[in-house]
Every structure is written in structure tokens, then in C-alpha cells.
Amino acid sequence: MKRVLVLCTGNSCRSQMAEAILNHDLAPFVRAFSAGVAPQPEVAPNALEALRRVGLPTDGLTPKDVMQFLDEPFDLVVTVCDHAREACPVFPRPIPTLHMAFPDPHGQPLAAFEAVRDAIRAQLVPAVAQALAIPFPQESA
């Protein structure tokens, strides 16, 4: 199973949604984690609601600091905002990276979170699958 770390600034919106979506859409090939370079105290309620509205699990989604992941093995590091890309720490070993910025919906209505969720699903999921050479779209069993 490939391990993916998704980074953004606060780890409260975009990276949390990407973690849940990647874990769902690319299972059983990918295990995604998310973190922030300056994590917020909690996941934005609208991020959680946007995920729930399409049937994605939200249990266990909490903001985490990227520093706790520096010594863990990852196959890919994904940045979903420009600030995280610029502030991304140097990992102890070379790790392929992918940058795909999405608008920050923090403080906006639920519809903004849903738009970012849908963009992550439409753009990031196939990009991660391609970067990791995972067949996509998955064939129905």
C-alpha cells in the first residue's frame, strides 16, 4: 500500500478533505494522511459536513503538525496550497512531491467547501493515482 501525506497550512479544510477522499477513492492502494505547517485547533465543521454529504467517513480527522511525520516513510507528499508548498520542511529522505493548489474555503458557506471537495475528487485523485502508477478509475468488482 502506498502512503501519501497531504499538506496545507492549517490542516483544517483542504488537506482534511483530501485525506478522506484519497483514502476512500484509492482504497485499497493508498493510505493518506494529512498535516499542516501551522495546524488549526480543529477541523472546520463545514469540511466535515461536505464530506458527510457524499457519504465519506470523518472519524479520526484531526489537525496534525507536519513535524510529527518527518521520520515516517511516504511514497508521495502532496501540497494543496501555495503556502504549504513554500513552507514544506525537508524530509530526511527524498520523497516525490505533487503540488495542486485549491482555494481556501475557510470561513465561507458550505457550498464553497463542497466546490473544493468536488475539485479535489475530480483533479487530485487522478493526479495521485497517476503519480503512484495506480490504476484509475477503479473497476467495479
Side-chain angles (χ1 to χ4, degrees):
M1 180 176 294
K2 303 288 187 177
R3 291 172 47 95
V4 176
L5 179 61
V6 183
L7 298 177
C8 71
T9 303
N11 191 219
S12 66
C13 301
R14 295 165 285 185
S15 55
Q16 293 287 343
M17 289 192 288
E19 174 184 344
I21 292 166
L22 289 169
N23 281 331
H24 179 271
D25 291 4
L26 295 179
F29 302 104
V30 166
R31 175 66 176 109
F33 302 84
S34 67
V37 295
Q40 295 294 307
E42 65 182 16
V43 177
N46 278 344
L48 298 173
E49 181 61 23
L51 292 169
R52 287 186 199 112
R53 285 190 172 209
V54 292
L56 294 173
T58 60
D59 293 343
L61 293 179
T62 59
K64 298 164 287 298
D65 193 304
V66 66
M67 301 309 278
Q68 78 183 63
F69 292 103
L70 286 185
D71 292 323
E72 292 196 31
F74 286 99
D75 299 289
L76 182 66
V77 172
V78 177
T79 51
V80 292
C81 75
D82 292 333
H83 180 260
R85 181 182 191 185
E86 294 164 11
C88 185
V90 176
F91 285 80
R93 65 202 144 277
I95 301 171
T97 61
L98 173 67
H99 176 67
M100 189 171 285
F102 296 94
D104 186 359
H106 190 76
Q108 296 183 35
L110 179 59
F113 285 80
E114 292 174 325
V116 171
R117 176 204 63 209
D118 295 345
I120 288 169
R121 191 166 239 174
Q123 299 166 27
L124 185 63
V125 172
V128 168
Q130 182 178 15
L132 296 173
I134 295 169
F136 186 81
Q138 306 298 324
E139 290 190 26
S140 300

